Amino acid sequence: RDFWLEVVLRDLSEDLQKLPMPVIVNLAAEEDTQGILDLDALPEGTRIATVEFKTADKADAGSAKGEFLRWALETRCMTVEELLDFRGVGCGPEEQAAEYRLSPKKSSPDNLVFEEATGQGSGGGWSKKLAESGTSKAKFVKEFASGKDRYMRTEINKALVKESKKGRKNSEVC
């Protein structure tokens, strides 16, 4: 590892100097980037944006990073701000890709933390729960978002609209 460190650092530094706004998006583990991503050794003005995934199963974090990289390349993200739009990759009902959201409490401008979008609407989403309930949309929303949970009405309605749009889009694309 030490053998390649100098060569990698030199090439990285040369490439970053050619960029108008040098940014490194770091998906690697901290121990893999020691010595390479040292701000003192990199050109002045270089920004390092580290991306982390908090998942229920730690083994899923690696596949989430791969999914994130694929999405970033396919959507041709050019800025760190564009990376904030990541929600997961999936195409069709047979692929149950995990949905992710940016954690505003755990994130900072140079440390993007995505977490699994879990909660009452997870595990198939609100649309699936609505279908399983066999009631009207209005009754369903009242059942899940009444009393102290009234604030969830807007969230459920937005999620139902988003899921129906996503379903239409996936049926067209796939």
Side-chain angles (χ1 to χ4, degrees), residues 5-17:
L5 183 63
E6 188 178 317
V7 175
V8 170
L9 193 55
R10 183 184 65 234
D11 287 349
L12 183 61
S13 184
E14 288 174 4
D15 289 342
L16 287 170
Q17 286 176 351

Side-chain angles (χ1 to χ4, degrees), residues 10-170:
R10 183 184 65 234
D11 287 349
L12 183 61
S13 184
E14 288 174 4
D15 289 342
L16 287 170
Q17 286 176 351
K18 296 174 187 174
L19 298 173
M21 295 184 340
V23 176
I24 297 173
V25 178
N26 178 21
L27 293 167
E30 189 175 332
E31 60 269 7
D32 293 337
T33 59
Q34 276 182 329
I36 296 174
L37 297 184
D38 179 17
L39 278 175
D40 296 332
L42 295 172
E44 188 177 328
T46 299
R47 178 179 177 191
I48 300 173
T50 303
V51 179
E52 295 179 48
F53 282 88
K54 303 292 183 191
T55 58
D57 184 5
K58 293 211 183 254
D60 291 341
S63 60
K65 286 181 179 183
E67 193 175 304
F68 175 83
L69 179 60
R70 174 184 166 193
W71 172 84
L73 291 171
E74 286 177 349
T75 57
R76 298 178 183 231
C77 291
M78 299 302 286
T79 65
V80 174
E81 288 70 29
E82 290 174 343
L83 299 175
L84 304 178
D85 294 335
F86 178 71
R87 298 293 176 260
V89 176
C91 188
E94 64 277 345
E95 268 188 61
Q96 292 297 320
E99 297 261 334
Y100 299 97
R101 64 179 170 222
L102 185 69
S103 174
K105 291 181 181 177
K106 298 175 186 173
S107 295
S108 66
D110 291 331
N111 189 32
L112 309 178
V113 179
F114 289 91
E115 57 188 11
E116 286 181 296
T118 58
Q120 292 179 340
S122 65
W126 289 110
S127 297
K128 184 177 179 183
K129 290 184 184 287
L130 173 61
E132 290 171 353
S133 74
T135 62
S136 70
K137 180 180 172 185
K139 287 182 182 178
F140 174 79
V141 172
K142 276 187 179 179
E143 179 184 331
F144 277 96
S146 61
K148 66 178 182 171
D149 294 329
R150 187 177 180 93
Y151 71 93
M152 291 187 64
R153 287 185 180 188
T154 305
E155 182 182 321
I156 293 171
N157 284 322
K158 284 181 182 178
L160 289 170
V161 169
K162 186 177 178 181
E163 288 172 12
S164 68
K165 285 181 181 178
K166 184 178 179 183
R168 288 189 300 240
K169 183 180 177 185
N170 283 342

